[in-house]
PDB file of all heavy atoms in Angstrom:
ATOM      1  N   GLU A 143     -26.432 103.858 -71.453  1.00 56.00           N
ATOM      2  CA  GLU A 143     -26.390 103.666 -72.924  1.00 56.00           C
ATOM      3  C   GLU A 143     -25.311 104.498 -73.467  1.00 56.00           C
ATOM      4  O   GLU A 143     -25.047 105.689 -73.177  1.00 56.00           O
ATOM      5  CB  GLU A 143     -27.730 104.177 -73.428  1.00 56.00           C
ATOM      6  CG  GLU A 143     -27.848 104.096 -74.924  1.00 56.00           C
ATOM      7  CD  GLU A 143     -27.850 102.638 -75.404  1.00 56.00           C
ATOM      8  OE1 GLU A 143     -28.356 101.746 -74.555  1.00 56.00           O
ATOM      9  OE2 GLU A 143     -27.592 102.305 -76.505  1.00 56.00           O
ATOM     10  N   ILE A 144     -24.519 103.840 -74.342  1.00 59.00           N
ATOM     11  CA  ILE A 144     -23.375 104.524 -74.986  1.00 59.00           C
ATOM     12  C   ILE A 144     -23.661 104.525 -76.524  1.00 59.00           C
ATOM     13  O   ILE A 144     -23.885 103.463 -77.130  1.00 59.00           O
ATOM     14  CB  ILE A 144     -22.028 103.802 -74.677  1.00 59.00           C
ATOM     15  CG1 ILE A 144     -21.760 103.832 -73.212  1.00 59.00           C
ATOM     16  CG2 ILE A 144     -20.872 104.397 -75.500  1.00 59.00           C
ATOM     17  CD1 ILE A 144     -20.471 102.972 -72.820  1.00 59.00           C
ATOM     18  N   ASN A 145     -23.716 105.661 -77.086  1.00 63.00           N
ATOM     19  CA  ASN A 145     -23.951 105.855 -78.499  1.00 63.00           C
ATOM     20  C   ASN A 145     -22.687 105.454 -79.274  1.00 63.00           C
ATOM     21  O   ASN A 145     -21.539 105.880 -78.924  1.00 63.00           O
ATOM     22  CB  ASN A 145     -24.333 107.379 -78.831  1.00 63.00           C
ATOM     23  CG  ASN A 145     -25.678 107.698 -78.117  1.00 63.00           C
ATOM     24  OD1 ASN A 145     -26.564 106.841 -77.997  1.00 63.00           O
ATOM     25  ND2 ASN A 145     -25.800 108.941 -77.733  1.00 63.00           N
ATOM     26  N   ARG A 146     -22.909 104.763 -80.402  1.00 62.00           N
ATOM     27  CA  ARG A 146     -21.824 104.412 -81.232  1.00 62.00           C
ATOM     28  C   ARG A 146     -21.339 105.591 -82.100  1.00 62.00           C
ATOM     29  O   ARG A 146     -22.092 106.405 -82.538  1.00 62.00           O
ATOM     30  CB  ARG A 146     -22.245 103.263 -82.160  1.00 62.00           C
ATOM     31  CG  ARG A 146     -22.532 101.901 -81.569  1.00 62.00           C
ATOM     32  CD  ARG A 146     -22.899 100.927 -82.542  1.00 62.00           C
ATOM     33  NE  ARG A 146     -23.194  99.685 -81.999  1.00 62.00           N
ATOM     34  CZ  ARG A 146     -23.394  98.542 -82.651  1.00 62.00           C
ATOM     35  NH1 ARG A 146     -23.485  98.521 -84.001  1.00 62.00           N
ATOM     36  NH2 ARG A 146     -23.775  97.424 -81.982  1.00 62.00           N
ATOM     37  N   ILE A 147     -20.010 105.582 -82.261  1.00 66.00           N
ATOM     38  CA  ILE A 147     -19.332 106.592 -82.968  1.00 66.00           C
ATOM     39  C   ILE A 147     -18.842 105.955 -84.254  1.00 66.00           C
ATOM     40  O   ILE A 147     -18.794 104.827 -84.457  1.00 66.00           O
ATOM     41  CB  ILE A 147     -18.282 107.292 -82.237  1.00 66.00           C
ATOM     42  CG1 ILE A 147     -17.246 106.353 -81.768  1.00 66.00           C
ATOM     43  CG2 ILE A 147     -18.809 108.092 -80.925  1.00 66.00           C
ATOM     44  CD1 ILE A 147     -15.994 106.960 -81.084  1.00 66.00           C
ATOM     45  N   LYS A 148     -18.439 106.896 -85.158  1.00 64.00           N
ATOM     46  CA  LYS A 148     -17.995 106.373 -86.567  1.00 64.00           C
ATOM     47  C   LYS A 148     -16.734 105.512 -86.364  1.00 64.00           C
ATOM     48  O   LYS A 148     -16.556 104.469 -87.058  1.00 64.00           O
ATOM     49  CB  LYS A 148     -17.679 107.494 -87.412  1.00 64.00           C
ATOM     50  CG  LYS A 148     -17.290 107.067 -88.867  1.00 64.00           C
ATOM     51  CD  LYS A 148     -17.160 108.356 -89.772  1.00 64.00           C
ATOM     52  CE  LYS A 148     -16.756 107.907 -91.158  1.00 64.00           C
ATOM     53  NZ  LYS A 148     -16.462 109.089 -91.991  1.00 64.00           N
ATOM     54  N   ALA A 149     -15.845 105.854 -85.441  1.00 65.00           N
ATOM     55  CA  ALA A 149     -14.620 105.055 -85.366  1.00 65.00           C
ATOM     56  C   ALA A 149     -14.840 103.693 -84.762  1.00 65.00           C
ATOM     57  O   ALA A 149     -14.325 102.657 -85.201  1.00 65.00           O
ATOM     58  CB  ALA A 149     -13.661 105.791 -84.282  1.00 65.00           C
ATOM     59  N   ASP A 150     -15.914 103.504 -83.907  1.00 68.00           N
ATOM     60  CA  ASP A 150     -16.329 102.271 -83.377  1.00 68.00           C
ATOM     61  C   ASP A 150     -16.833 101.386 -84.490  1.00 68.00           C
ATOM     62  O   ASP A 150     -16.515 100.180 -84.669  1.00 68.00           O
ATOM     63  CB  ASP A 150     -17.346 102.429 -82.314  1.00 68.00           C
ATOM     64  CG  ASP A 150     -17.730 101.143 -81.655  1.00 68.00           C
ATOM     65  OD1 ASP A 150     -16.966 100.381 -81.144  1.00 68.00           O
ATOM     66  OD2 ASP A 150     -19.044 100.712 -81.899  1.00 68.00           O
ATOM     67  N   SER A 151     -17.675 101.932 -85.426  1.00 69.00           N
ATOM     68  CA  SER A 151     -18.213 101.222 -86.487  1.00 69.00           C
ATOM     69  C   SER A 151     -17.196 100.701 -87.483  1.00 69.00           C
ATOM     70  O   SER A 151     -17.243  99.642 -87.879  1.00 69.00           O
ATOM     71  CB  SER A 151     -19.251 102.057 -87.249  1.00 69.00           C
ATOM     72  OG  SER A 151     -20.302 102.451 -86.354  1.00 69.00           O
ATOM     73  N   LEU A 152     -16.145 101.617 -87.704  1.00 70.00           N
ATOM     74  CA  LEU A 152     -15.020 101.247 -88.632  1.00 70.00           C
ATOM     75  C   LEU A 152     -14.247 100.080 -87.958  1.00 70.00           C
ATOM     76  O   LEU A 152     -13.768  99.117 -88.686  1.00 70.00           O
ATOM     77  CB  LEU A 152     -14.188 102.392 -88.898  1.00 70.00           C
ATOM     78  CG  LEU A 152     -14.885 103.553 -89.724  1.00 70.00           C
ATOM     79  CD1 LEU A 152     -13.907 104.767 -89.817  1.00 70.00           C
ATOM     80  CD2 LEU A 152     -15.256 103.037 -91.168  1.00 70.00           C
ATOM     81  N   LEU A 153     -14.030 100.139 -86.709  1.00 70.00           N
ATOM     82  CA  LEU A 153     -13.283  99.090 -86.079  1.00 70.00           C
ATOM     83  C   LEU A 153     -13.985  97.788 -86.118  1.00 70.00           C
ATOM     84  O   LEU A 153     -13.326  96.696 -86.336  1.00 70.00           O
ATOM     85  CB  LEU A 153     -13.038  99.501 -84.580  1.00 70.00           C
ATOM     86  CG  LEU A 153     -12.235  98.501 -83.755  1.00 70.00           C
ATOM     87  CD1 LEU A 153     -10.756  98.203 -84.352  1.00 70.00           C
ATOM     88  CD2 LEU A 153     -12.030  98.919 -82.293  1.00 70.00           C
ATOM     89  N   ARG A 154     -15.369  97.797 -85.825  1.00 71.00           N
ATOM     90  CA  ARG A 154     -16.103  96.631 -85.922  1.00 71.00           C
ATOM     91  C   ARG A 154     -16.048  95.928 -87.276  1.00 71.00           C
ATOM     92  O   ARG A 154     -15.888  94.767 -87.388  1.00 71.00           O
ATOM     93  CB  ARG A 154     -17.535  96.844 -85.474  1.00 71.00           C
ATOM     94  CG  ARG A 154     -17.739  97.148 -84.015  1.00 71.00           C
ATOM     95  CD  ARG A 154     -19.168  97.575 -83.755  1.00 71.00           C
ATOM     96  NE  ARG A 154     -19.417  97.889 -82.444  1.00 71.00           N
ATOM     97  CZ  ARG A 154     -19.782  97.036 -81.443  1.00 71.00           C
ATOM     98  NH1 ARG A 154     -19.887  95.663 -81.828  1.00 71.00           N
ATOM     99  NH2 ARG A 154     -19.886  97.283 -80.158  1.00 71.00           N
ATOM    100  N   GLU A 155     -16.082  96.759 -88.323  1.00 70.00           N
ATOM    101  CA  GLU A 155     -16.096  96.204 -89.716  1.00 70.00           C
ATOM    102  C   GLU A 155     -14.663  95.669 -89.957  1.00 70.00           C
ATOM    103  O   GLU A 155     -14.598  94.621 -90.662  1.00 70.00           O
ATOM    104  CB  GLU A 155     -16.304  97.339 -90.642  1.00 70.00           C
ATOM    105  CG  GLU A 155     -16.391  96.902 -92.104  1.00 70.00           C
ATOM    106  CD  GLU A 155     -16.715  98.136 -93.075  1.00 70.00           C
ATOM    107  OE1 GLU A 155     -17.172  99.272 -92.629  1.00 70.00           O
ATOM    108  OE2 GLU A 155     -16.813  97.773 -94.262  1.00 70.00           O
ATOM    109  N   GLU A 156     -13.648  96.318 -89.468  1.00 67.00           N
ATOM    110  CA  GLU A 156     -12.240  95.852 -89.701  1.00 67.00           C
ATOM    111  C   GLU A 156     -12.094  94.462 -89.069  1.00 67.00           C
ATOM    112  O   GLU A 156     -11.512  93.572 -89.643  1.00 67.00           O
ATOM    113  CB  GLU A 156     -11.222  96.791 -89.190  1.00 67.00           C
ATOM    114  CG  GLU A 156      -9.815  96.444 -89.520  1.00 67.00           C
ATOM    115  CD  GLU A 156      -8.842  97.446 -88.849  1.00 67.00           C
ATOM    116  OE1 GLU A 156      -9.266  98.438 -88.438  1.00 67.00           O
ATOM    117  OE2 GLU A 156      -7.598  97.151 -88.910  1.00 67.00           O
ATOM    118  N   VAL A 157     -12.523  94.347 -87.817  1.00 63.00           N
ATOM    119  CA  VAL A 157     -12.391  93.053 -87.107  1.00 63.00           C
ATOM    120  C   VAL A 157     -13.169  91.992 -87.886  1.00 63.00           C
ATOM    121  O   VAL A 157     -12.784  90.853 -87.924  1.00 63.00           O
ATOM    122  CB  VAL A 157     -12.822  93.191 -85.623  1.00 63.00           C
ATOM    123  CG1 VAL A 157     -12.962  91.841 -84.904  1.00 63.00           C
ATOM    124  CG2 VAL A 157     -11.918  94.142 -84.921  1.00 63.00           C
ATOM    125  N   ALA A 158     -14.387  92.374 -88.282  1.00 64.00           N
ATOM    126  CA  ALA A 158     -15.228  91.353 -88.999  1.00 64.00           C
ATOM    127  C   ALA A 158     -14.582  90.835 -90.236  1.00 64.00           C
ATOM    128  O   ALA A 158     -14.674  89.653 -90.550  1.00 64.00           O
ATOM    129  CB  ALA A 158     -16.584  91.925 -89.285  1.00 64.00           C
ATOM    130  N   GLN A 159     -13.885  91.725 -90.980  1.00 63.00           N
ATOM    131  CA  GLN A 159     -13.267  91.302 -92.214  1.00 63.00           C
ATOM    132  C   GLN A 159     -11.994  90.382 -91.830  1.00 63.00           C
ATOM    133  O   GLN A 159     -11.646  89.429 -92.556  1.00 63.00           O
ATOM    134  CB  GLN A 159     -12.673  92.519 -92.914  1.00 63.00           C
ATOM    135  CG  GLN A 159     -13.780  93.363 -93.597  1.00 63.00           C
ATOM    136  CD  GLN A 159     -14.555  92.556 -94.629  1.00 63.00           C
ATOM    137  OE1 GLN A 159     -13.894  91.687 -95.398  1.00 63.00           O
ATOM    138  NE2 GLN A 159     -15.868  92.802 -94.795  1.00 63.00           N
ATOM    139  N   GLU A 160     -11.296  90.698 -90.649  1.00 58.00           N
ATOM    140  CA  GLU A 160     -10.273  89.850 -90.275  1.00 58.00           C
ATOM    141  C   GLU A 160     -10.615  88.530 -89.890  1.00 58.00           C
ATOM    142  O   GLU A 160      -9.955  87.452 -90.139  1.00 58.00           O
ATOM    143  CB  GLU A 160      -9.381  90.497 -89.205  1.00 58.00           C
ATOM    144  CG  GLU A 160      -8.643  91.791 -89.595  1.00 58.00           C
ATOM    145  CD  GLU A 160      -7.939  92.402 -88.407  1.00 58.00           C
ATOM    146  OE1 GLU A 160      -8.148  91.867 -87.220  1.00 58.00           O
ATOM    147  OE2 GLU A 160      -7.203  93.387 -88.547  1.00 58.00           O
TER     148      GLU A 160
END
Side-chain angles (χ1 to χ4, degrees):
E143 180 69 26
I144 300 177
N145 296 325
R146 293 185 180 181
I147 59 177
K148 184 177 181 181
D150 179 67
S151 300
L152 294 176
L153 178 61
R154 289 175 180 271
E155 183 178 356
E156 181 180 354
V157 172
Q159 290 297 326
E160 291 179 354

